Amino acid sequence: MLRAAICDDEEKLLRVMERAIDTAFERAGFDCLLDAYSSGAELWKAHQREPYDILFLDIYMPGQSGFEIAKAVRQQTEETLLIFVTSQDALVYNSLDYRPFQFVRKGVSDSVTTELAAVTRKLVHYFRENE
């Protein structure tokens, strides 16, 4: 079973994203355990204990930013897929240093839900193709 985690310091948005991703995996008939964190430090501790296959990371967070987590992950492995979620479109270029799988724009809940569902379908396709 694949393991994924979402990290965003905005609790309300975190729950919206969790539902969208969970629903997309379920609709695809894909088995994935999804954990949610509101702090980068919590996520990083959990990832060190048992690495995740997929990380959905907010870029701007107090404490450890999404980029700091991505840098630490990339120092360990290239295999964890990174998806950055942010309202700052200009950061897409900075995110390329960490070789992300995708970049999702935050905004209205409906648009982030739609984009997360689309990227989750791409993840399912990727993992089915690379089994």
Side-chain angles (χ1 to χ4, degrees), residues 3 37 42-53 55 73 76-77 80:
R3 298 179 68 245
Y37 299 92
E42 290 175 33
L43 168 65
W44 180 241
K45 285 178 192 173
H47 182 76
Q48 287 180 301
R49 283 190 304 274
E50 189 175 352
Y52 287 100
D53 301 297
L55 295 177
V73 167
Q76 288 182 328
T77 183
T80 300

Side-chain angles (χ1 to χ4, degrees), residues 77-93:
T77 183
E78 290 290 323
E79 293 180 22
T80 300
L81 298 181
L82 303 174
I83 295 96
F84 289 110
V85 184
T86 188
S87 58
Q88 302 296 316
D89 290 347
L91 293 175
V92 71
Y93 299 108

Side-chain angles (χ1 to χ4, degrees), residues 55-66:
L55 295 177
F56 293 85
L57 300 170
D58 182 12
I59 293 175
Y60 286 122
M61 295 183 288
Q64 282 185 295
S65 72

Side-chain angles (χ1 to χ4, degrees), residues 9-108:
D9 61 319
E10 296 177 48
E11 191 69 33
K12 185 177 177 182
L13 185 58
L14 180 64
R15 297 301 157 217
V16 167
M17 292 179 359
E18 185 177 23
R19 280 191 303 276
I21 295 165
D22 252 344
T23 300
F25 276 129
E26 283 178 26
R27 286 186 179 157
F30 198 78
D31 203 17
C32 184
L33 174 68
L34 181 63
D35 295 325
Y37 299 92
S38 57
S39 107
E42 290 175 33
L43 168 65
W44 180 241
K45 285 178 192 173
H47 182 76
Q48 287 180 301
R49 283 190 304 274
E50 189 175 352
Y52 287 100
D53 301 297
I54 306 163
L55 295 177
F56 293 85
L57 300 170
D58 182 12
I59 293 175
Y60 286 122
M61 295 183 288
Q64 282 185 295
S65 72
F67 283 163
E68 290 169 324
I69 294 167
K71 181 179 180 180
V73 167
R74 284 294 173 249
Q75 289 172 346
Q76 288 182 328
T77 183
E78 290 290 323
E79 293 180 22
T80 300
L81 298 181
L82 303 174
I83 295 96
F84 289 110
V85 184
T86 188
S87 58
Q88 302 296 316
D89 290 347
L91 293 175
V92 71
Y93 299 108
N94 297 2
S95 76
L96 297 176
D97 291 340
Y98 308 105
R99 295 166 299 288
F101 182 81
Q102 189 78 36
F103 188 89
V104 174
R105 285 170 283 145
K106 280 186 191 179
V108 182

